Amino acid sequence: MPQYFGKLHTTKQPWSTIGAVLSIQRDERSIHFECDGPRLAIKVLAPNLIRVQLTPTGEFIPRRSWAVALDDADWSVVPFEVRETDETLEIETEQMRVCVDRQCYIECFDKAGRPFAQDAEMGMGWRMGATAAWKQIQTDEHFYGFGERTGLLDKLAELQTNWTVDALDYGSLTDEMYQAIPFLIALRPEVGYGIFFNTTFWSQFDIGAEQPGVWRMETRGGDLDYYIIYGPRPEQILHTYTQITGRMPLPPRWALGYHQCRWSYESETEVRQLARDFRDRRIPCDVIHLDIDYMRGFRVFTWSPKRFPDPSKLVSDLVRDGFKTVTIVDPGIKHEPEADYRVFDQGLEHNCFVRQADGQLFHGYVWPDKAVFPDFLRPEVRTWWGDLHKSLTSTGVAGIWNDMNEPSIADRPFGDPGNKIWFPLDAPQGPDDERTTHTEVHNLYGLTMAQAASVGLERLRPTERSFVLTRSGYAGVQRWSSVWMGDNQSLWEHLEMSLPMLCNMGLSGVAFVGCDIGGFAGNATAELFARWMQVGMLYPLMRGHSALTTARHEPWVFGDRVERICREYIELRYRLLPYIYTLFWEAATTGAPILRPLLYHFPNDLNTYALYDQVMLGPSLIAAPIYRPGVEYRAVYLPAGTWYDWWSGERYEGSTHILTHAPVERMPLYVRAGAIIPMAPVMQYTDEHPLDQLTLRIWPGTGEWQFYEDDGHSFEYRTGAWATTTYRVHSDGQQTIVEIGAREGEWTPPSREVRVELVGVGEQCFQDDGIARCLTL
Ligand code: MIG
């Protein structure tokens, strides 16, 4: 429901609170507070990480491993001190101090004594079917993350509900979205912390909407379980948060190229023509997505014999021309007894489908009409489902796109004006020994479906990395899949919103994200499309897509001028791939976002806190796109330091605001002094040539860059077949010195020349033999 309408007023019981502490016990990792019935446990998992658990009944619900990748026992034990006074108990680690008073109010402090994550007056409480905690909002504190969110960057004064829905027609006021990621980052100068609210039940954050100065988290689960992660910097918070919920695996390099999608390229002929258009027009492209019409009557894991008579031939011809094929897979399986539809037959035989509490098969209506749904919470169902992908991978399909997995279900056949429904909340789900109901695991449907696909693909394609894309997910979805922001619209407002949306995903641990370039619903204009392709070049997932019945949105349909712009920006993407691939590696190893709001690198600069319309691609580039029609000028904020205009080389001293001119051919782009950007020649697809010419584009200043490479497609990097090279630049007043470190790792890049381009100064070349050297320019 749009936030605009606020919350419906219901009669609610007052909250019960925990009451006085009767006794305290300590063990190696935790402190247990016994109250009169309720119990509170505080665990120290790392010097910057504590876990708070409250049970009103005195019985802790056993922990389930759905989102949390690291069990409490897997953290190495860290030293902490405990001090008790009459009023409080203090827990002190190397990085933070936690005070708990006799009423169980929790307050944290950094080493300088600055408070954070302090309980507000209400502290923690519960009532029929809900538990909650209230915390204080400090002056200048702002809130980010929250997973997939519309609107702008900072979520102060908003309500954020975590309940996955098909958010068709979403706009700035939409609350529930496809993803539910109950995680936030609170930031003020010098102080930053994260909260992971470890609940899969319906939950909600109220960031000072109801009561200014107080934020609340509430869940419809019976106990309260959350992690407090001290930063203070966003990168430190994300590092720890992704230790808890996991990090993304390194995708195949081709998945970083341009993807072309439409609902639908609905026949082999059309797909072949599409591929030919890209190559003839010399517009780089790596991936073609096939939407629901490749199937026979929307039956998952089938091909339409009429429209795609020979999928293996098609897919292998595409491979020969440098294209990978990705197919959509929906969770709804056509209810079709005795029709030789083996997916339905097998699923029924092995009892894979979600049933109602009374044991009846649950069904709803989706694309194949009457449909049933696998219970992905059960490991054997995930294995079965994963193996079904063989019907696609055996034809050469290299990636899977999971849609409709909130799950999106109608209560009557498509065409009838029905309602969206979900499984009955009391529908049993999960394995026998962990049986629960849909109430608890609704938010996990997309996550577990993506997990089934990801794990299945690794079994079916054991030597090649695959690509997985999902619409729905929960905290930790990054372990299994990339994510796109569903059905956006061909509107300037949606272009504008795409940057803060993707930035907040990145600040929620999900780095591999994108929005449909050009907008999914509606018809883009030439100008909108050109501007969108410029912005799309920055999206970690760069995919153009458009809906059935809309005008076509391929890069060439808007005439020569827009085609030239699309080509130029897609080419820029391909030239930057060595840099971007290194950012993916960083995301995979540290949890850092790829696309970042400026506050990520400048968390003490209040000017960046609301800045939603500029982004950083990695640490070195700031883009300030145009996202309004007819606009050719815009203000740009350049934070502290020296910055160069990417295009003109003009130099600026930050922090400053400048007015820049950006005709439709230009997306304003700035680069940090001392930046070192590894660049490749333009290729029509990522693996057209090995990287046998590498350019290091360097801007005068002081800087360092660790460049990562591997073969881009196999899993051998996991066993050492990777290479990193550290480059450094500095100046001795007269000259600029570029140091090339010795190559590390066991992978040997192709023999190549490296061109070092010191922007505005000059260039030098050397043969890359992996040996350390020093250049003076
Ligand atoms: O009911 O598969 O968000 O990307 O093209 C619509 C058709 C189903 C919704 C997805 C969109 C996709 C479309 N799907």
Side-chain angles (χ1 to χ4, degrees):
M1 187 195 305
Q3 298 188 356
Y4 179 73
F5 296 100
K7 273 193 342 189
L8 288 178
H9 185 76
T10 49
T11 338
K12 282 181 174 164
Q13 301 169 336
W15 296 94
S16 311
T17 50
I18 192 161
V21 177
L22 301 179
S23 74
I24 300 173
Q25 281 152 39
R26 170 189 178 163
D27 61 35
E28 193 179 44
R29 289 177 200 276
S30 3
I31 318 280
H32 293 271
F33 302 80
E34 304 282 344
C35 303
D36 193 13
R39 285 161 70 196
L40 173 74
I42 294 189
K43 287 189 187 136
V44 179
L45 298 176
N48 70 332
L49 176 64
I50 66 162
R51 181 175 181 187
V52 179
Q53 287 166 286
L54 161 73
T55 160
T57 62
E59 282 297 312
F60 284 106
I61 297 168
R63 183 191 146 267
R64 304 178 194 262
S65 58
W66 296 315
V68 174
L70 206 54
D71 204 350
D72 292 349
D74 298 337
W75 294 85
S76 42
V77 174
V78 292
F80 61 92
E81 267 178 48
V82 178
R83 284 185 294 271
E84 251 186 275
T85 67
D86 284 351
E87 274 85 56
T88 63
L89 179 126
E90 283 191 9
I91 305 166
E92 184 151 12
T93 74
E94 249 168 54
Q95 292 184 31
M96 63 194 278
R97 187 159 52 90
V98 185
C99 299
V100 186
D101 82 359
R102 296 285 156 186
Q103 304 295 318
C104 289
Y105 282 87
I106 300 172
E107 295 178 292
C108 301
F109 299 90
D110 68 8
K111 285 283 148 161
R114 287 177 286 234
F116 65 93
Q118 273 173 304
D119 281 0
E121 207 182 320
M122 275 292 282
M124 293 175 270
W126 63 89
R127 63 186 176 198
M128 236 329 230
T131 53
W134 289 260
K135 295 199 177 274
Q136 299 181 30
I137 300 174
Q138 299 283 337
T139 313
D140 281 340
E141 200 159 54
H142 295 268
F143 291 80
Y144 309 97
F146 302 96
E148 186 183 32
R149 295 296 166 187
T150 66
L152 304 183
L153 203 55
D154 174 16
K155 300 304 178 196
L156 193 62
E158 292 184 21
L159 274 180
Q160 308 289 348
T161 304
N162 302 300
W163 185 258
T164 59
V165 300
D166 179 349
L168 190 76
D169 295 332
Y170 67 74
S172 326
L173 294 171
T174 304
D175 179 4
E176 289 112 334
M177 290 291 286
Y178 308 96
Q179 299 271 324
I181 306 184
F183 172 70
L184 65 79
I185 290 178
L187 196 67
R188 67 184 202 265
E190 311 298 337
V191 184
Y193 69 94
I195 296 282
F196 172 46
F197 194 17
N198 189 20
T199 172
T200 56
F201 288 95
W202 181 99
S203 68
Q204 187 180 62
F205 292 106
D206 173 335
I207 308 298
E210 193 177 296
Q211 195 185 344
V214 173
W215 72 264
R216 172 182 55 89
M217 53 186 150
E218 177 179 340
T219 172
R220 296 287 151 82
D223 62 355
L224 195 74
D225 180 358
Y226 68 95
Y227 295 72
I228 303 177
I229 308 166
Y230 172 66
R233 296 177 66 87
E235 68 198 65
Q236 295 158 325
I237 298 168
L238 283 170
H239 190 272
T240 304
Y241 170 68
T242 54
Q243 269 179 293
I244 302 169
T245 58
R247 299 188 176 129
M248 70 172 204
L250 205 53
R253 188 167 42 218
W254 55 260
L256 280 58
Y258 179 67
H259 299 233
Q260 186 64 55
C261 186
R262 178 169 172 84
W263 177 18
S264 288
Y265 297 118
E266 57 178 35
S267 69
E268 163 164 355
T269 327
E270 228 183 295
V271 172
R272 287 181 185 278
Q273 183 56 45
L274 180 77
R276 204 157 30 231
D277 269 318
F278 274 103
R279 295 301 179 245
D280 288 351
R281 295 168 186 274
R282 312 268 320 144
I283 297 174
C285 178
D286 265 88
V287 192
I288 294 177
H289 288 236
L290 300 183
D291 208 326
I292 47 178
D293 299 293
Y294 78 87
M295 294 180 266
R296 181 172 64 90
F298 307 123
R299 289 170 187 83
V300 284
F301 304 115
T302 65
W303 289 88
S304 156
K306 248 197 280 144
R307 280 167 289 134
F308 290 87
D310 191 350
S312 301
K313 177 82 169 61
L314 171 67
V315 174
S316 60
D317 287 350
L318 288 173
V319 166
R320 199 198 50 217
D321 293 335
F323 293 98
K324 301 288 191 281
T325 305
V326 169
T327 49
I328 198 169
V329 174
D330 287 356
I333 296 167
K334 190 173 181 65
H335 182 279
E336 198 175 30
E338 285 148 46
D340 264 343
Y341 177 37
R342 76 187 168 99
V343 180
F344 176 79
D345 292 345
Q346 285 178 4
L348 194 66
E349 190 192 331
H350 300 128
N351 194 24
C352 295
F353 302 134
V354 172
R355 290 177 180 274
Q356 299 168 179
D358 63 5
Q360 294 290 309
L361 209 53
F362 169 83
H363 73 265
Y365 296 86
V366 211
W367 286 106
D369 209 36
K370 185 170 174 183
V372 292
F373 298 84
D375 178 12
F376 295 114
L377 216 64
R378 279 145 51 192
E380 76 283 5
V381 175
R382 288 199 297 272
T383 306
W384 166 68
W385 185 260
D387 288 342
L388 285 170
H389 290 77
K390 191 163 181 196
S391 60
L392 300 166
T393 55
S394 65
T395 67
V397 166
I400 295 297
W401 164 25
N402 283 161
D403 188 21
M404 307 293 274
N405 52 357
E406 296 71 30
S408 174
I409 313 170
D411 63 352
R412 59 196 87 172
F414 273 22
D416 290 3
N419 295 306
K420 291 265 187 213
I421 51 168
W422 44 76
F423 304 150
L425 292 177
D426 60 353
Q429 281 194 253
D432 288 341
D433 56 347
E434 268 191 18
R435 190 66 93 198
T436 180
T437 60
H438 192 62
T439 325
E440 184 175 11
V441 296
H442 172 83
N443 285 334
L444 293 169
Y445 199 73
L447 176 110
T448 48
M449 181 188 186
Q451 177 182 3
S454 166
V455 175
L457 286 173
E458 195 165 330
R459 248 189 341 266
L460 294 165
R461 297 162 35 91
T463 58
E464 290 291 315
R465 297 177 221 168
S466 302
F467 167 73
V468 182
L469 176 60
T470 183
R471 194 168 74 173
S472 187
Y474 177 76
V477 66
Q478 66 271 9
R479 273 196 277 170
W480 314 115
S481 182
S482 61
V483 175
W484 97 104
M485 305 296 100
D487 297 347
N488 64 354
Q489 296 149 40
S490 300
L491 296 174
W492 290 96
E493 290 81 351
H494 276 248
L495 168 58
E496 172 180 21
M497 196 157 75
S498 72
L499 290 173
M501 278 185 94
L502 298 179
C503 283
N504 275 323
M505 283 297 282
L507 292 177
S508 308
V510 193
F512 195 4
V513 288
C515 296
D516 289 344
I517 295 171
F520 172 75
N523 307 314
T525 62
E527 188 190 1
L528 175 64
F529 195 78
R531 291 301 194 188
W532 211 318
M533 193 60 84
Q534 294 172 343
V535 174
M537 183 232 109
L538 304 162
Y539 295 166
L541 171 67
M542 186 185 189
R543 186 181 81 155
H545 185 30
S546 51
L548 194 74
T549 76
T550 63
R552 309 222 28 148
H553 278 180
E554 292 79 21
W556 48 84
V557 300
F558 298 97
D560 290 348
R561 185 177 182 199
V562 173
E563 182 176 340
R564 267 199 308 279
I565 294 170
C566 292
R567 184 182 300 103
E568 185 185 352
Y569 283 84
I570 297 176
E571 285 183 355
L572 178 58
R573 166 80 171 204
Y574 278 71
R575 284 159 64 212
L576 286 171
L577 279 177
Y579 174 70
I580 298 174
Y581 192 61
T582 299
L583 296 176
F584 271 74
W585 168 69
E586 194 190 338
T589 50
T590 72
I594 294 162
L595 190 72
R596 309 164 179 177
L598 269 68
L599 62 89
Y600 182 81
H601 286 291
F602 299 91
N604 295 324
D605 179 352
L606 276 173
N607 288 326
T608 65
Y609 279 33
L611 192 63
Y612 70 89
D613 65 351
Q614 292 182 212
V615 288
M616 297 187 76
L617 183 61
S620 305
L621 296 174
I622 291 183
I626 302 280
Y627 50 87
R628 281 283 178 256
V631 172
E632 287 201 354
Y633 289 87
R634 66 160 285 177
V636 179
Y637 177 63
L638 296 173
T642 302
W643 298 88
Y644 293 89
D645 183 306
W646 172 271
W647 308 105
S648 70
E650 197 169 335
R651 180 187 156 128
Y652 300 95
E653 289 307 323
S655 67
T656 185
H657 283 89
I658 59 171
L659 181 69
T660 191
H661 183 212
V664 77
E665 273 76 18
R666 275 291 158 262
M667 175 179 66
L669 197 58
Y670 302 87
V671 55
R672 217 196 261 259
I676 301 168
I677 309 242
M679 295 180 72
V682 171
M683 298 185 199
Q684 296 309 300
Y685 52 98
T686 48
D687 293 320
E688 190 179 18
H689 309 289
L691 189 54
D692 52 11
Q693 282 172 52
L694 178 67
T695 301
L696 295 178
R697 204 181 265 191
I698 302 178
W699 282 261
T702 304
E704 183 180 315
W705 177 256
Q706 191 182 11
F707 173 45
Y708 174 85
E709 308 170 84
D710 59 24
D711 70 12
H713 65 91
S714 79
F715 291 108
E716 284 168 28
Y717 72 93
R718 290 183 182 166
T719 50
W722 48 265
T724 58
T725 312
T726 302
Y727 306 115
R728 290 195 180 81
V729 59
H730 68 272
S731 149
D732 67 2
Q734 306 286 304
Q735 286 173 313
T736 298
I737 294 130
V738 177
E739 286 171 45
I740 289 107
R743 187 160 58 229
E744 291 181 49
E746 288 161 24
W747 190 71
T748 311
S751 107
R752 67 187 171 200
E753 192 180 66
V754 179
R755 197 167 72 208
V756 176
E757 258 180 50
L758 186 64
V759 176
V761 179
E763 55 180 72
Q764 271 185 35
C765 293
F766 65 89
Q767 199 58 36
D768 190 5
D769 46 17
I771 291 169
R773 68 182 76 225
C774 200
L775 310 177
T776 310
L777 286 118

